[in-house]
Amino acid sequence: MQSGYYTALGRALLSALIAISRGLLFIVIGIYLLPFLLQINGVWLTLPFAEMCTVFITLIIAIYYKKQLKKYVIQ
């Protein structure tokens, strides 16, 4: 949802960063890292791990660009 928001604002790079991190980057990291740490449960926790990491990245982006985003909010 946040990816679409940044697309609508014309910030394609941020939108792509969020989409790629959710759909590829954090899933690959989770597939390699979590089974090593948590055995078979790590496989099942890969998708929630990817979602949580993406939310964290999205929050960082939103906080960082808070001043720039205020320009686009209709008052």
Side-chain angles (χ1 to χ4, degrees):
M1 183 163 171
Q2 200 69 15
S3 178
Y5 175 72
Y6 287 116
T7 300
L9 292 178
R11 298 185 178 265
L13 185 60
L14 292 177
S15 176
L17 175 68
I18 293 169
I20 290 170
S21 67
R22 179 181 177 264
L24 181 66
L25 179 68
F26 291 125
I27 289 178
V28 171
I29 291 171
I31 286 290
Y32 284 109
L33 181 66
L34 293 179
F36 177 72
L37 298 173
L38 303 171
Q39 286 75 34
I40 193 68
N41 290 331
V43 174
W44 294 105
L45 292 173
T46 297
L47 288 177
F49 168 78
E51 293 291 335
M52 288 174 42
C53 290
T54 304
V55 166
F56 182 70
I57 294 295
T58 303
L59 286 174
I60 290 172
I61 291 170
I63 290 168
Y64 185 74
Y65 287 104
K66 184 177 180 180
K67 291 179 183 177
Q68 285 85 7
L69 294 176
K70 284 184 179 182
K71 291 188 276 185
Y72 297 105
V73 176
I74 298 173
Q75 297 179 3

